Amino acid sequence: MKKKILNLLVRWGIPLGFLIVFVCFVVWVNMANKTTLINTTGQTFEKGIVTQIISDNLTENGTRVGEQKVKVKMTTGEKKGEEFETTSSSGFLFGAACKVGMRVIVIQSVAGDSVVTTVYSQDREYVIYIFAGLYLLALIVIGGIQGLKGAIGLIFTFFAMIFVEVPMVYRGYSAIGTAIFLCFITTLVTMYLIGGATMKTLVATFGSVTGVVLAFSCAKLFSLASGITGWNVSNIENLLTLWNSNGIQVGDLLFSGILISSLGAVMDVAMSAASAMSEVVRQNPTISRHELFKSGMRVGRDMMGTDSNTLILAFAGGSLAELFLDYAYALPYRQIINSNNIGIAIMQGLGGSFGVVLSVPVTVFIGSLLLSKD
């Protein structure tokens, strides 16, 4: 009976205590006072439904030129229930091709009795929630209890990214140190949910954190050798505003992003290697450390290629539009290969892939020390 209570305490009591401390920390870190960069007094983003197309901007060849004039019935905000005549631009970034019954987001500026509105975009919030919910449902239905644990870990990682990483960096903490802290916390939670309080979880956690640190180190070496830094990103002009107003070290954001983006693939490799080695020990408790290490490396080598491809293809896919423009304008190879954007994409892909590859021997070595009964 005492052993059962102790096991329950270890399994759920410690995580509950950790969760309470973590929630208190999240509340504290999000109490930062933000510096006002632009004046948005009286301006809100509200929901509405298009009730009438007053004048359309659709041409005979199917393109849209200029603005639509539409009537929108507000469904949120202080003007809820009222109808306003407003405009919707034909741009690809802002505005929407309005139709009667379409749900839209409206920028609403109220000053006394004066109300100025314009359509910002189609209301796609519910679509995001539905598809995210369907993904989590599929994860739970197909994965069973492990899928449920994975879904909880995914939700935790998402909220940790939004409510821990971003506020801490905004407060002036090191973006790289914060990213390492986030990787450790999310890895620990995810691995604990999947593997429980076992030696396998400990091996996978240490292997994952070491892997992302190695990914950062390789990216940093690439940066020093190539001259590419976090100040060469395309949106640096906007980031400089934060650097000047809050002293945020925006140059480190690129490398903290590499840490976080490589975490998923590194966790996959580390947990797979640790799980395989744990099963080998369970089937053959007398296996030597040397033999266990060799078995773990054989499993790890099979995972290296596919997981490295995952990161390379992810960053290559993110740069596809730019590569297409380079091809269409027939830019010379030397210009393309030496451009900042291509260099950053290569650094991200190679840095993360180095982390995946190097995490295998690290995880296997730790596993051979902690899992072997030799």
Side-chain angles (χ1 to χ4, degrees):
M1 184 66 181
K2 289 182 179 179
K3 190 175 181 181
K4 276 190 174 183
I5 295 175
L6 182 62
N7 288 337
L8 285 173
L9 180 63
V10 172
R11 181 64 175 166
W12 301 112
I14 295 176
L16 183 60
F18 167 78
L19 181 61
I20 293 172
V21 173
F22 185 75
V23 168
C24 293
F25 172 75
V26 170
V27 172
W28 171 78
V29 82
N30 281 274
M31 292 172 64
N33 294 321
K34 294 183 180 179
T35 303
T36 302
L37 300 177
I38 55 174
N39 186 10
T40 57
T41 303
Q43 184 185 88
T44 58
F45 287 78
E46 306 295 348
K47 294 185 177 185
I49 300 176
V50 177
T51 57
Q52 181 183 347
I53 306 296
I54 299 173
S55 62
D56 210 342
N57 59 348
L58 186 65
T59 61
E60 294 180 357
N61 61 6
T63 60
R64 293 186 178 275
V65 179
E67 296 179 333
Q68 281 181 306
K69 287 186 178 180
V70 298
K71 272 191 176 181
V72 176
K73 183 178 181 180
M74 307 304 298
T75 57
T76 63
E78 60 180 288
K79 300 298 180 181
K80 179 179 179 181
E82 298 183 31
E83 279 192 345
F84 294 96
E85 182 179 316
T86 187
T87 59
S88 177
S89 65
S90 59
F92 292 104
L93 295 178
F94 303 102
C98 294
K99 298 176 183 178
V100 174
M102 176 184 284
R103 297 179 179 274
V104 293
I105 300 298
V106 177
I107 303 177
Q108 178 179 275
S109 299
V110 180
D113 294 332
S114 176
V115 180
V116 178
T117 60
T118 183
V119 174
Y120 173 71
S121 70
Q122 182 178 345
D123 182 7
R124 54 183 68 97
E125 182 179 348
Y126 69 97
V127 176
I128 294 173
Y129 294 151
I130 289 173
F131 272 82
L134 288 174
Y135 168 72
L136 294 176
L137 180 63
L139 189 62
I140 294 169
V141 170
I142 297 173
I145 187 65
Q146 290 298 92
L148 176 61
K149 293 176 181 178
I152 295 173
L154 178 62
I155 294 171
F156 178 85
T157 301
F158 174 77
F159 279 97
M161 180 70 187
I162 301 299
F163 297 108
V164 176
E165 167 75 6
V166 175
M168 285 187 70
V169 174
Y170 188 86
R171 277 177 169 264
Y173 291 95
S174 167
I176 295 171
T178 303
I180 294 174
F181 169 73
L182 179 72
C183 289
F184 175 74
I185 292 297
T186 55
T187 301
L188 186 63
V189 170
T190 303
M191 296 300 187
Y192 183 85
L193 287 169
I194 295 173
T198 61
M199 197 63 71
K200 174 182 70 176
T201 299
L202 189 62
V203 171
T205 301
F206 277 121
S208 298
V209 175
T210 304
V212 295
V213 171
L214 289 171
F216 159 74
S217 301
C218 293
K220 198 68 176 177
L221 288 174
F222 185 97
S223 170
L224 294 173
S226 64
I228 293 177
T229 69
W231 301 97
N232 298 126
V233 295
S234 57
N235 57 348
I236 188 60
E237 297 297 333
N238 293 327
L239 291 172
L240 282 174
T241 304
L242 294 175
W243 179 57
N244 291 323
S245 62
N246 293 65
I248 299 172
Q249 299 302 309
V250 295
D252 291 336
L253 291 176
L254 173 64
F255 299 100
S256 65
I258 292 174
L259 278 165
I260 295 170
S261 61
S262 63
L263 178 60
V266 172
M267 274 201 301
D268 180 30
V269 169
M271 185 46 127
S272 298
S275 182
M277 293 175 71
S278 178
E279 184 62 22
V280 168
V281 172
R282 194 172 74 86
Q283 296 297 327
N284 184 11
T286 61
I287 189 172
S288 67
R289 284 178 178 169
H290 180 66
E291 289 299 320
L292 181 60
F293 180 85
K294 290 198 296 184
S295 297
M297 286 301 298
R298 281 193 290 270
V299 173
R301 289 190 185 106
D302 290 338
M303 296 181 293
M304 283 182 185
T306 53
D307 283 302
S308 295
N309 280 343
T310 298
L311 289 171
I312 292 291
L313 292 174
F315 289 116
S319 304
L320 186 59
E322 185 173 348
L323 288 172
F324 180 78
L325 287 174
D326 293 341
Y327 177 81
Y329 283 99
L331 298 182
Y333 170 77
R334 287 180 181 172
Q335 179 182 354
I336 296 172
I337 198 65
N338 288 290
S339 68
N340 286 330
N341 290 337
I342 295 298
I344 287 173
I346 292 172
M347 180 176 70
Q348 290 172 325
L350 289 178
S353 296
F354 265 117
V356 168
V357 172
L358 296 177
S359 68
V360 171
V362 172
T363 304
V364 172
F365 176 73
I366 295 173
S368 64
L369 292 177
L370 299 182
L371 296 174
S372 173
K373 298 187 172 51
D374 186 358

mmCIF file of all heavy atoms in Angstrom, residues 25-61:
data_model
loop_
_atom_site.group_PDB
_atom_site.id
_atom_site.type_symbol
_atom_site.label_atom_id
_atom_site.label_comp_id
_atom_site.label_asym_id
_atom_site.label_seq_id
_atom_site.Cartn_x
_atom_site.Cartn_y
_atom_site.Cartn_z
ATOM 1 N N PHE A 25 4.998 31.149 -12.345
ATOM 2 C CA PHE A 25 6.067 31.769 -13.108
ATOM 3 C C PHE A 25 5.530 32.405 -14.388
ATOM 4 O O PHE A 25 5.911 33.528 -14.747
ATOM 5 C CB PHE A 25 7.135 30.727 -13.451
ATOM 6 C CG PHE A 25 8.195 31.216 -14.397
ATOM 7 C CD1 PHE A 25 9.186 32.081 -13.958
ATOM 8 C CD2 PHE A 25 8.198 30.819 -15.718
ATOM 9 C CE1 PHE A 25 10.158 32.547 -14.827
ATOM 10 C CE2 PHE A 25 9.164 31.268 -16.595
ATOM 11 C CZ PHE A 25 10.150 32.138 -16.150
ATOM 12 N N VAL A 26 4.618 31.716 -15.069
ATOM 13 C CA VAL A 26 4.036 32.247 -16.312
ATOM 14 C C VAL A 26 3.253 33.522 -16.034
ATOM 15 O O VAL A 26 3.334 34.501 -16.790
ATOM 16 C CB VAL A 26 3.130 31.185 -16.975
ATOM 17 C CG1 VAL A 26 2.326 31.797 -18.118
ATOM 18 C CG2 VAL A 26 3.967 30.023 -17.496
ATOM 19 N N VAL A 27 2.482 33.524 -14.945
ATOM 20 C CA VAL A 27 1.715 34.727 -14.585
ATOM 21 C C VAL A 27 2.662 35.892 -14.325
ATOM 22 O O VAL A 27 2.442 37.016 -14.791
ATOM 23 C CB VAL A 27 0.843 34.456 -13.348
ATOM 24 C CG1 VAL A 27 0.206 35.753 -12.848
ATOM 25 C CG2 VAL A 27 -0.240 33.435 -13.676
ATOM 26 N N TRP A 28 3.753 35.632 -13.605
ATOM 27 C CA TRP A 28 4.715 36.703 -13.294
ATOM 28 C C TRP A 28 5.392 37.226 -14.542
ATOM 29 O O TRP A 28 5.501 38.444 -14.735
ATOM 30 C CB TRP A 28 5.769 36.182 -12.319
ATOM 31 C CG TRP A 28 6.899 37.158 -12.134
ATOM 32 C CD1 TRP A 28 6.902 38.276 -11.368
ATOM 33 C CD2 TRP A 28 8.183 37.102 -12.769
ATOM 34 N NE1 TRP A 28 8.108 38.929 -11.481
ATOM 35 C CE2 TRP A 28 8.911 38.225 -12.335
ATOM 36 C CE3 TRP A 28 8.777 36.208 -13.657
ATOM 37 C CZ2 TRP A 28 10.211 38.471 -12.772
ATOM 38 C CZ3 TRP A 28 10.068 36.454 -14.096
ATOM 39 C CH2 TRP A 28 10.775 37.577 -13.648
ATOM 40 N N VAL A 29 5.838 36.349 -15.430
ATOM 41 C CA VAL A 29 6.614 36.777 -16.590
ATOM 42 C C VAL A 29 5.756 37.546 -17.587
ATOM 43 O O VAL A 29 6.263 38.336 -18.389
ATOM 44 C CB VAL A 29 7.287 35.564 -17.265
ATOM 45 C CG1 VAL A 29 6.336 34.833 -18.196
ATOM 46 C CG2 VAL A 29 8.530 35.996 -18.039
ATOM 47 N N ASN A 30 4.443 37.342 -17.544
ATOM 48 C CA ASN A 30 3.556 38.046 -18.475
ATOM 49 C C ASN A 30 3.019 39.352 -17.907
ATOM 50 O O ASN A 30 2.149 39.978 -18.512
ATOM 51 C CB ASN A 30 2.377 37.147 -18.872
ATOM 52 C CG ASN A 30 2.756 36.133 -19.927
ATOM 53 O OD1 ASN A 30 2.712 36.420 -21.112
ATOM 54 N ND2 ASN A 30 3.146 34.941 -19.486
ATOM 55 N N MET A 31 3.542 39.784 -16.764
ATOM 56 C CA MET A 31 3.103 41.049 -16.168
ATOM 57 C C MET A 31 3.975 42.229 -16.611
ATOM 58 O O MET A 31 3.945 43.281 -16.003
ATOM 59 C CB MET A 31 3.113 40.936 -14.640
ATOM 60 C CG MET A 31 2.056 39.969 -14.106
ATOM 61 S SD MET A 31 2.207 39.667 -12.326
ATOM 62 C CE MET A 31 1.863 41.295 -11.666
ATOM 63 N N ALA A 32 4.767 42.036 -17.656
ATOM 64 C CA ALA A 32 5.660 43.095 -18.134
ATOM 65 C C ALA A 32 4.846 44.230 -18.760
ATOM 66 O O ALA A 32 3.836 43.997 -19.445
ATOM 67 C CB ALA A 32 6.644 42.535 -19.147
ATOM 68 N N ASN A 33 5.282 45.473 -18.522
ATOM 69 C CA ASN A 33 4.657 46.633 -19.155
ATOM 70 C C ASN A 33 5.261 46.839 -20.535
ATOM 71 O O ASN A 33 6.472 46.991 -20.678
ATOM 72 C CB ASN A 33 4.875 47.881 -18.297
ATOM 73 C CG ASN A 33 4.154 47.792 -16.972
ATOM 74 O OD1 ASN A 33 3.029 47.290 -16.904
ATOM 75 N ND2 ASN A 33 4.795 48.268 -15.910
ATOM 76 N N LYS A 34 4.421 46.818 -21.549
ATOM 77 C CA LYS A 34 4.908 46.940 -22.925
ATOM 78 C C LYS A 34 5.070 48.405 -23.311
ATOM 79 O O LYS A 34 4.234 49.252 -22.968
ATOM 80 C CB LYS A 34 3.941 46.250 -23.899
ATOM 81 C CG LYS A 34 3.870 44.747 -23.721
ATOM 82 C CD LYS A 34 2.945 44.134 -24.764
ATOM 83 C CE LYS A 34 2.862 42.620 -24.583
ATOM 84 N NZ LYS A 34 1.947 42.005 -25.558
ATOM 85 N N THR A 35 6.152 48.670 -24.025
ATOM 86 C CA THR A 35 6.385 50.011 -24.553
ATOM 87 C C THR A 35 5.455 50.249 -25.736
ATOM 88 O O THR A 35 5.379 49.415 -26.653
ATOM 89 C CB THR A 35 7.841 50.178 -25.006
ATOM 90 O OG1 THR A 35 8.701 49.898 -23.909
ATOM 91 C CG2 THR A 35 8.097 51.581 -25.518
ATOM 92 N N THR A 36 4.744 51.362 -25.738
ATOM 93 C CA THR A 36 3.828 51.672 -26.835
ATOM 94 C C THR A 36 4.627 52.096 -28.066
ATOM 95 O O THR A 36 5.345 53.105 -28.049
ATOM 96 C CB THR A 36 2.857 52.793 -26.434
ATOM 97 O OG1 THR A 36 2.133 52.385 -25.261
ATOM 98 C CG2 THR A 36 1.877 53.087 -27.563
ATOM 99 N N LEU A 37 4.525 51.332 -29.127
ATOM 100 C CA LEU A 37 5.264 51.633 -30.368
ATOM 101 C C LEU A 37 4.420 52.426 -31.348
ATOM 102 O O LEU A 37 4.938 53.263 -32.084
ATOM 103 C CB LEU A 37 5.741 50.331 -31.012
ATOM 104 C CG LEU A 37 6.680 49.461 -30.150
ATOM 105 C CD1 LEU A 37 7.014 48.174 -30.874
ATOM 106 C CD2 LEU A 37 7.954 50.234 -29.806
ATOM 107 N N ILE A 38 3.123 52.143 -31.385
ATOM 108 C CA ILE A 38 2.203 52.908 -32.236
ATOM 109 C C ILE A 38 0.951 53.223 -31.433
ATOM 110 O O ILE A 38 0.567 52.463 -30.535
ATOM 111 C CB ILE A 38 1.816 52.144 -33.528
ATOM 112 C CG1 ILE A 38 1.233 50.765 -33.181
ATOM 113 C CG2 ILE A 38 3.012 51.997 -34.451
ATOM 114 C CD1 ILE A 38 0.706 50.031 -34.393
ATOM 115 N N ASN A 39 0.327 54.325 -31.754
ATOM 116 C CA ASN A 39 -0.878 54.750 -31.053
ATOM 117 C C ASN A 39 -2.108 54.095 -31.690
ATOM 118 O O ASN A 39 -2.435 54.360 -32.837
ATOM 119 C CB ASN A 39 -1.000 56.275 -31.100
ATOM 120 C CG ASN A 39 -2.172 56.776 -30.260
ATOM 121 O OD1 ASN A 39 -2.767 56.016 -29.510
ATOM 122 N ND2 ASN A 39 -2.472 58.052 -30.375
ATOM 123 N N THR A 40 -2.774 53.204 -30.941
ATOM 124 C CA THR A 40 -3.975 52.537 -31.449
ATOM 125 C C THR A 40 -5.192 52.852 -30.578
ATOM 126 O O THR A 40 -6.118 52.050 -30.480
ATOM 127 C CB THR A 40 -3.751 51.008 -31.478
ATOM 128 O OG1 THR A 40 -3.412 50.560 -30.153
ATOM 129 C CG2 THR A 40 -2.647 50.633 -32.447
ATOM 130 N N THR A 41 -5.178 54.030 -29.972
ATOM 131 C CA THR A 41 -6.289 54.419 -29.106
ATOM 132 C C THR A 41 -7.590 54.466 -29.897
ATOM 133 O O THR A 41 -7.672 55.123 -30.949
ATOM 134 C CB THR A 41 -6.023 55.802 -28.481
ATOM 135 O OG1 THR A 41 -4.779 55.759 -27.772
ATOM 136 C CG2 THR A 41 -7.135 56.184 -27.536
ATOM 137 N N GLY A 42 -8.602 53.762 -29.416
ATOM 138 C CA GLY A 42 -9.904 53.747 -30.080
ATOM 139 C C GLY A 42 -10.019 52.754 -31.202
ATOM 140 O O GLY A 42 -11.098 52.567 -31.763
ATOM 141 N N GLN A 43 -8.907 52.094 -31.557
ATOM 142 C CA GLN A 43 -8.934 51.145 -32.673
ATOM 143 C C GLN A 43 -9.042 49.721 -32.147
ATOM 144 O O GLN A 43 -8.293 49.315 -31.278
ATOM 145 C CB GLN A 43 -7.676 51.281 -33.523
ATOM 146 C CG GLN A 43 -7.665 50.387 -34.767
ATOM 147 C CD GLN A 43 -6.356 50.468 -35.523
ATOM 148 O OE1 GLN A 43 -5.419 49.745 -35.243
ATOM 149 N NE2 GLN A 43 -6.289 51.400 -36.459
ATOM 150 N N THR A 44 -9.975 48.965 -32.677
ATOM 151 C CA THR A 44 -10.149 47.562 -32.294
ATOM 152 C C THR A 44 -10.391 46.719 -33.536
ATOM 153 O O THR A 44 -10.765 47.234 -34.600
ATOM 154 C CB THR A 44 -11.340 47.390 -31.335
ATOM 155 O OG1 THR A 44 -12.536 47.891 -31.975
ATOM 156 C CG2 THR A 44 -11.114 48.121 -30.031
ATOM 157 N N PHE A 45 -10.157 45.422 -33.379
ATOM 158 C CA PHE A 45 -10.446 44.465 -34.447
ATOM 159 C C PHE A 45 -11.685 43.689 -34.024
ATOM 160 O O PHE A 45 -11.664 42.962 -33.029
ATOM 161 C CB PHE A 45 -9.256 43.520 -34.655
ATOM 162 C CG PHE A 45 -8.083 44.177 -35.339
ATOM 163 C CD1 PHE A 45 -7.235 45.017 -34.636
ATOM 164 C CD2 PHE A 45 -7.843 43.961 -36.681
ATOM 165 C CE1 PHE A 45 -6.160 45.624 -35.251
ATOM 166 C CE2 PHE A 45 -6.760 44.562 -37.316
ATOM 167 C CZ PHE A 45 -5.922 45.402 -36.597
ATOM 168 N N GLU A 46 -12.760 43.868 -34.790
ATOM 169 C CA GLU A 46 -14.045 43.263 -34.438
ATOM 170 C C GLU A 46 -14.526 42.330 -35.540
ATOM 171 O O GLU A 46 -14.061 42.400 -36.688
ATOM 172 C CB GLU A 46 -15.097 44.349 -34.193
ATOM 173 C CG GLU A 46 -14.702 45.394 -33.169
ATOM 174 C CD GLU A 46 -14.531 44.846 -31.762
ATOM 175 O OE1 GLU A 46 -14.937 43.688 -31.533
ATOM 176 O OE2 GLU A 46 -13.998 45.566 -30.906
ATOM 177 N N LYS A 47 -15.473 41.468 -35.175
ATOM 178 C CA LYS A 47 -16.044 40.530 -36.134
ATOM 179 C C LYS A 47 -17.330 41.094 -36.730
ATOM 180 O O LYS A 47 -18.055 41.852 -36.079
ATOM 181 C CB LYS A 47 -16.331 39.187 -35.462
ATOM 182 C CG LYS A 47 -15.081 38.450 -34.996
ATOM 183 C CD LYS A 47 -15.439 37.077 -34.460
ATOM 184 C CE LYS A 47 -14.183 36.313 -34.071
ATOM 185 N NZ LYS A 47 -14.493 34.925 -33.659
ATOM 186 N N GLY A 48 -17.588 40.711 -37.967
ATOM 187 C CA GLY A 48 -18.801 41.156 -38.625
ATOM 188 C C GLY A 48 -19.198 40.202 -39.740
ATOM 189 O O GLY A 48 -18.429 39.308 -40.116
ATOM 190 N N ILE A 49 -20.408 40.401 -40.279
ATOM 191 C CA ILE A 49 -20.912 39.589 -41.387
ATOM 192 C C ILE A 49 -21.294 40.517 -42.526
ATOM 193 O O ILE A 49 -21.999 41.515 -42.323
ATOM 194 C CB ILE A 49 -22.132 38.753 -40.954
ATOM 195 C CG1 ILE A 49 -21.753 37.806 -39.819
ATOM 196 C CG2 ILE A 49 -22.682 37.950 -42.134
ATOM 197 C CD1 ILE A 49 -22.940 37.020 -39.268
ATOM 198 N N VAL A 50 -20.835 40.211 -43.736
ATOM 199 C CA VAL A 50 -21.160 41.022 -44.918
ATOM 200 C C VAL A 50 -22.632 40.801 -45.262
ATOM 201 O O VAL A 50 -23.064 39.655 -45.479
ATOM 202 C CB VAL A 50 -20.269 40.637 -46.110
ATOM 203 C CG1 VAL A 50 -20.660 41.436 -47.353
ATOM 204 C CG2 VAL A 50 -18.799 40.862 -45.772
ATOM 205 N N THR A 51 -23.387 41.881 -45.307
ATOM 206 C CA THR A 51 -24.823 41.765 -45.600
ATOM 207 C C THR A 51 -25.187 42.252 -47.002
ATOM 208 O O THR A 51 -26.234 41.897 -47.523
ATOM 209 C CB THR A 51 -25.631 42.588 -44.574
ATOM 210 O OG1 THR A 51 -25.196 43.960 -44.603
ATOM 211 C CG2 THR A 51 -25.438 42.023 -43.167
ATOM 212 N N GLN A 52 -24.312 43.073 -47.608
ATOM 213 C CA GLN A 52 -24.637 43.610 -48.941
ATOM 214 C C GLN A 52 -23.353 44.046 -49.647
ATOM 215 O O GLN A 52 -22.447 44.594 -49.022
ATOM 216 C CB GLN A 52 -25.593 44.800 -48.809
ATOM 217 C CG GLN A 52 -26.003 45.409 -50.136
ATOM 218 C CD GLN A 52 -26.886 46.629 -49.943
ATOM 219 O OE1 GLN A 52 -27.389 46.888 -48.851
ATOM 220 N NE2 GLN A 52 -27.069 47.404 -51.016
ATOM 221 N N ILE A 53 -23.279 43.766 -50.953
ATOM 222 C CA ILE A 53 -22.185 44.278 -51.788
ATOM 223 C C ILE A 53 -22.708 45.512 -52.500
ATOM 224 O O ILE A 53 -23.544 45.418 -53.412
ATOM 225 C CB ILE A 53 -21.703 43.227 -52.808
ATOM 226 C CG1 ILE A 53 -21.342 41.912 -52.109
ATOM 227 C CG2 ILE A 53 -20.517 43.764 -53.597
ATOM 228 C CD1 ILE A 53 -20.188 42.019 -51.152
ATOM 229 N N ILE A 54 -22.253 46.677 -52.104
ATOM 230 C CA ILE A 54 -22.735 47.924 -52.704
ATOM 231 C C ILE A 54 -22.123 48.120 -54.087
ATOM 232 O O ILE A 54 -22.822 48.408 -55.056
ATOM 233 C CB ILE A 54 -22.411 49.110 -51.780
ATOM 234 C CG1 ILE A 54 -23.121 48.930 -50.427
ATOM 235 C CG2 ILE A 54 -22.824 50.429 -52.428
ATOM 236 C CD1 ILE A 54 -22.737 49.956 -49.392
ATOM 237 N N SER A 55 -20.810 47.983 -54.177
ATOM 238 C CA SER A 55 -20.130 48.053 -55.485
ATOM 239 C C SER A 55 -18.946 47.094 -55.448
ATOM 240 O O SER A 55 -18.153 47.122 -54.507
ATOM 241 C CB SER A 55 -19.663 49.474 -55.796
ATOM 242 O OG SER A 55 -18.717 49.920 -54.846
ATOM 243 N N ASP A 56 -18.876 46.256 -56.489
ATOM 244 C CA ASP A 56 -17.820 45.244 -56.530
ATOM 245 C C ASP A 56 -16.621 45.768 -57.312
ATOM 246 O O ASP A 56 -16.725 46.755 -58.049
ATOM 247 C CB ASP A 56 -18.357 43.959 -57.172
ATOM 248 C CG ASP A 56 -17.658 42.713 -56.640
ATOM 249 O OD1 ASP A 56 -16.564 42.872 -56.068
ATOM 250 O OD2 ASP A 56 -18.201 41.608 -56.805
ATOM 251 N N ASN A 57 -15.489 45.097 -57.154
ATOM 252 C CA ASN A 57 -14.280 45.498 -57.883
ATOM 253 C C ASN A 57 -13.769 44.357 -58.753
ATOM 254 O O ASN A 57 -12.594 44.319 -59.114
ATOM 255 C CB ASN A 57 -13.183 45.931 -56.899
ATOM 256 C CG ASN A 57 -12.803 44.830 -55.918
ATOM 257 O OD1 ASN A 57 -13.498 43.828 -55.811
ATOM 258 N ND2 ASN A 57 -11.718 45.034 -55.204
ATOM 259 N N LEU A 58 -14.683 43.425 -59.094
ATOM 260 C CA LEU A 58 -14.315 42.285 -59.920
ATOM 261 C C LEU A 58 -14.393 42.677 -61.392
ATOM 262 O O LEU A 58 -15.428 43.142 -61.869
ATOM 263 C CB LEU A 58 -15.257 41.110 -59.640
ATOM 264 C CG LEU A 58 -14.923 39.785 -60.320
ATOM 265 C CD1 LEU A 58 -13.595 39.246 -59.807
ATOM 266 C CD2 LEU A 58 -16.043 38.772 -60.088
ATOM 267 N N THR A 59 -13.291 42.485 -62.121
ATOM 268 C CA THR A 59 -13.248 42.845 -63.544
ATOM 269 C C THR A 59 -13.671 41.659 -64.403
ATOM 270 O O THR A 59 -13.872 40.548 -63.903
ATOM 271 C CB THR A 59 -11.829 43.291 -63.947
ATOM 272 O OG1 THR A 59 -10.924 42.210 -63.728
ATOM 273 C CG2 THR A 59 -11.379 44.489 -63.116
ATOM 274 N N GLU A 60 -13.765 41.892 -65.727
ATOM 275 C CA GLU A 60 -14.226 40.848 -66.635
ATOM 276 C C GLU A 60 -13.253 39.672 -66.705
ATOM 277 O O GLU A 60 -13.665 38.535 -66.942
ATOM 278 C CB GLU A 60 -14.432 41.434 -68.038
ATOM 279 C CG GLU A 60 -15.574 42.449 -68.103
ATOM 280 C CD GLU A 60 -15.750 42.998 -69.505
ATOM 281 O OE1 GLU A 60 -14.951 42.622 -70.394
ATOM 282 O OE2 GLU A 60 -16.681 43.790 -69.720
ATOM 283 N N ASN A 61 -11.976 39.927 -66.517
ATOM 284 C CA ASN A 61 -11.003 38.831 -66.596
ATOM 285 C C ASN A 61 -10.807 38.108 -65.255
ATOM 286 O O ASN A 61 -9.911 37.276 -65.113
ATOM 287 C CB ASN A 61 -9.653 39.347 -67.106
ATOM 288 C CG ASN A 61 -9.049 40.399 -66.178
ATOM 289 O OD1 ASN A 61 -9.577 40.678 -65.097
ATOM 290 N ND2 ASN A 61 -7.950 40.991 -66.602
#
